[in-house]
Amino acid sequence: MFMEPPESESVVLLFDDDLAGLLRRSPGRSTVRYRPREGQSIKDMVESLGIPHTEVGRITANGRDAGFSLQPAPGRQVRVLGHDLPLDVTRSDGFREAYPRLRFLVDDNAAGVVMLLRALGIDTRWDRGTDDAELAAISSDEQRVLLTRDRGLLMRSKVQHGRLLRSQRPDGQLAEVVRAYGLQQTNGIMGRCLRCNVMTHYVEKSDVLHLLEPKTKKYYNEFRHCPQCGGLFWKGTHYMHLINRLKNAGVEIAAGSL
């Protein structure tokens, strides 16, 4: 059984509800007494308890804002808070540099959400089988928000912006990302190729007629084309299924958009 250190030897860490739920030790408990090592930073303390630094939005010590490098001594009280939502990665929050725009990088363990994010028109990279070191490097070099269920990956120092996905299901993960990054509206869901991640463009039906099945020729007139893989997109049953999944995640879609 785990025994907390004496109060005189410990830093008191206070977590909000969201972060408390991520604690490996006594999840859901908002107050933890922690015996620090000499020179140990608050970032290391929080991550040793199972919370990646990407999930932290604010730290205060004795009522004053503090950074990850804070080295609290025994007897001090530190409050660790999650993010205020929605997140805006184009603005620095004091912990992380600003990114020029919102783009995602997705780990294999969250690959099911890739197509859904691309349907929202968001640049979402996924390279099957990429190891953690390479994912961290890509996230840093390309300034992409890293989405994963792997806590250890998000604890890598190269990762600045990231999100630990709580849900195991793609649709639940999408709802998390929509809420976290304010993605509740979109003008069209076929503007980016669901397979290749490149932008699609409208194409005349006459130019792709030879590629269409008889029923598709008969009932559909609007098409988008991927210049990389040659894929075609139209408002078929797959489109309506995708619309329903996005709406269930809280996304409002402009009427008639393709």
Side-chain angles (χ1 to χ4, degrees):
M1 181 178 178
F2 174 79
M3 298 292 292
E4 286 197 327
E7 192 169 342
S8 61
E9 299 177 10
S10 61
V11 175
V12 177
L13 302 178
L14 306 174
F15 296 95
D16 64 13
D17 290 342
D18 183 50
L19 295 186
L22 297 178
L23 290 169
R24 286 201 178 109
R25 188 175 76 205
S26 304
R29 185 176 178 181
S30 61
T31 303
V32 174
R33 290 210 308 266
Y34 187 99
R35 181 189 282 118
R37 303 188 306 272
E38 183 177 354
Q40 187 177 18
S41 70
I42 188 64
K43 176 178 178 289
D44 289 342
M45 293 182 194
V46 169
E47 292 198 322
S48 72
L49 293 171
I51 300 174
H53 64 269
T54 55
E55 308 309 296
V56 176
R58 189 182 180 196
I59 297 172
T60 62
N62 297 332
R64 295 184 177 181
D65 285 337
F68 283 140
S69 61
L70 174 71
Q71 298 177 9
R76 295 192 70 182
Q77 187 177 96
V78 180
R79 185 175 297 275
V80 185
L81 307 173
H83 295 281
D84 291 329
L85 303 182
L87 288 162
D88 182 0
V89 300
T90 66
R91 298 177 62 184
S92 175
D93 60 4
F95 294 106
R96 289 157 280 264
E97 68 179 64
Y99 282 179
R101 59 190 179 281
L102 179 64
R103 301 193 299 173
F104 292 120
L105 172 66
V106 180
D107 189 9
D108 281 344
N109 59 36
V113 79
V114 171
M115 178 189 72
L116 300 171
L117 292 172
R118 289 174 179 170
L120 290 177
I122 301 171
D123 183 345
T124 303
R125 178 171 176 176
W126 170 51
D127 301 324
R128 187 191 303 270
T130 307
D131 64 28
D132 285 3
E134 182 66 13
L135 284 167
I138 293 171
S139 177
S140 175
D141 294 345
E142 298 188 6
Q143 296 182 303
R144 291 178 179 271
V145 177
L146 180 54
L147 304 177
T148 181
R149 285 181 48 77
D150 184 345
R151 299 183 191 219
L153 173 55
L154 291 177
M155 291 181 189
R156 287 179 173 260
S157 59
K158 281 193 173 184
V159 179
Q160 289 201 57
H161 291 275
R163 183 73 180 174
L164 180 67
L165 299 174
R166 278 61 159 174
S167 177
Q168 297 183 32
R169 298 173 50 254
D171 290 65
Q173 293 168 355
L174 175 65
E176 288 181 39
V177 177
V178 165
R179 178 171 177 268
Y181 296 96
L183 307 179
Q184 284 84 2
Q185 291 186 332
T186 184
N187 291 324
I189 69 168
M190 294 300 182
R192 186 175 294 276
C193 181
L194 306 183
R195 306 184 194 100
C196 301
N197 196 39
V198 303
M199 300 303 293
T200 63
H201 56 80
Y202 279 106
V203 62
E204 293 294 333
K205 182 176 180 178
S206 58
D207 293 335
V208 295
L209 202 61
H210 62 290
L211 300 174
L212 306 179
E213 297 291 334
K215 286 187 178 180
T216 307
K217 290 180 184 179
K218 181 176 181 180
Y219 294 110
Y220 302 100
N221 296 303
E222 287 186 296
F223 298 88
R224 294 190 73 97
H225 175 258
C226 172
Q228 182 162 299
C229 73
L232 287 175
F233 303 92
W234 64 92
K235 293 182 182 179
T237 54
H238 60 291
Y239 172 90
M240 297 310 303
H241 178 63
L242 192 52
I243 286 281
N244 289 333
R245 295 179 73 180
L246 296 180
K247 286 184 175 179
N248 288 338
V251 179
E252 181 178 331
I253 302 168
S257 58
L258 177 60

